[in-house]
Amino acid sequence: PEELRVYGFARSAKTDAAFRTTMRPMLKPTEGLDMDAAAADAARDAFLKRCVYRQGAYDSVDAMRRLATEMTRAEGDSGNRLFYFAIPPSVFAAVSKTIAEAEGAMTTEARGWTRVVVEKPFGRDSASSSELSAQLAACFEEEQVYRIDHYLGKEMVQSTLALRFANRVFEPLWSNAHISNVQITFKEPFGTKGRGGYFDKFGIVRDVLQ
């Protein structure tokens, strides 16, 4: 939609141009869409013009308030807001508190809705997961919070049980009588890229397999 705006907000110093350069390779035409290269480039450029970056600390209410003022100005009379937490779980609480305390960050019911999306892992164990849920609940209504796992949509993961028990070939073979071990290999074409501290605390296995 032409009304859509994307605001990047993080601690690192970055210009709008650098932000858009990072995003550009990730924007590709939908498979099967009848669009030539020139049209795809034009659509990509038009979208990127609506993507901006603002620097601010996780706990900076002033920085969040300035961002809220900018969003309100761009929205006009109404607008919905979705905050996507692409951050370590250890700062979910700080960022939630900042949004809740920054005047105008959460849109009013008369203007639209506010949603918050948090990615896995939701804590390190049951206790820390419950603590995280309590911290989110102190800042947002439950219907405003969406907890997601970007791997839950994998069709193979969702249908493994059906693939086994509905298939006469696999069902009698997929058991400890015929399988000695299961190995899971996780590969990415890049390194930690500044995420070393995050993985040291939460672990790659918990991040990927929780």
Side-chain angles (χ1 to χ4, degrees), residues 13-60:
K14 186 180 297 185
T15 64
D16 290 349
F19 182 54
R20 292 163 182 162
T21 298
T22 301
M23 296 181 64
R24 180 177 292 277
M26 306 175 190
L27 302 175
K28 301 177 182 179
T30 302
E31 187 175 348
L33 188 65
D34 186 15
M35 179 180 291
D36 59 28
D41 287 339
R44 186 184 296 112
D45 291 340
F47 172 74
L48 287 173
K49 287 180 179 178
R50 304 197 300 273
C51 302
V52 299
Y53 181 89
R54 300 295 177 258
Q55 182 182 8
Y58 292 137
D59 58 352
S60 176

Side-chain angles (χ1 to χ4, degrees), residues 11-181:
R11 298 173 300 176
S12 304
K14 186 180 297 185
T15 64
D16 290 349
F19 182 54
R20 292 163 182 162
T21 298
T22 301
M23 296 181 64
R24 180 177 292 277
M26 306 175 190
L27 302 175
K28 301 177 182 179
T30 302
E31 187 175 348
L33 188 65
D34 186 15
M35 179 180 291
D36 59 28
D41 287 339
R44 186 184 296 112
D45 291 340
F47 172 74
L48 287 173
K49 287 180 179 178
R50 304 197 300 273
C51 302
V52 299
Y53 181 89
R54 300 295 177 258
Q55 182 182 8
Y58 292 137
D59 58 352
S60 176
V61 175
D62 288 339
M64 183 59 66
R65 188 181 294 115
R66 289 194 296 271
L67 176 60
T69 299
E70 183 176 350
M71 290 191 292
T72 300
R73 188 183 303 117
E75 290 167 351
D77 295 331
S78 63
N80 301 318
R81 295 181 185 176
L82 187 151
F83 293 91
Y84 192 105
F85 285 12
I87 52 179
S90 57
V91 294
F92 280 172
V95 174
S96 297
K97 189 171 183 288
T98 300
I99 294 173
E101 293 182 354
E103 183 180 355
M106 291 193 290
T107 190
T108 62
E109 187 173 336
R111 288 177 51 84
W113 48 253
T114 298
R115 299 288 185 267
V116 177
V117 177
V118 293
E119 272 197 13
K120 64 169 180 64
F122 310 119
R124 301 175 301 279
D125 48 32
S126 179
S128 59
S129 178
S130 297
E131 181 183 4
L132 175 57
S133 294
Q135 292 168 340
L136 292 171
C139 301
F140 309 107
E141 299 295 331
E142 180 59 32
E143 58 266 23
Q144 293 179 304
V145 180
Y146 287 74
R147 302 166 180 83
I148 71 166
D149 181 335
H150 47 274
Y151 272 90
L152 292 179
K154 297 290 185 180
E155 293 183 4
M156 186 64 184
V157 173
Q158 291 178 329
S159 61
T160 298
L161 290 178
L163 180 66
R164 173 187 174 184
F165 291 107
N167 192 309
R168 292 186 178 182
V169 174
F170 292 135
E171 200 284 325
L173 298 177
W174 284 12
S175 68
N176 61 352
H178 300 281
I179 299 176
S180 61
N181 69 86

Side-chain angles (χ1 to χ4, degrees), residues 2-15:
E2 294 184 2
E3 299 81 10
L4 176 68
R5 299 288 186 276
V6 176
Y7 298 86
F9 184 86
R11 298 173 300 176
S12 304
K14 186 180 297 185
T15 64

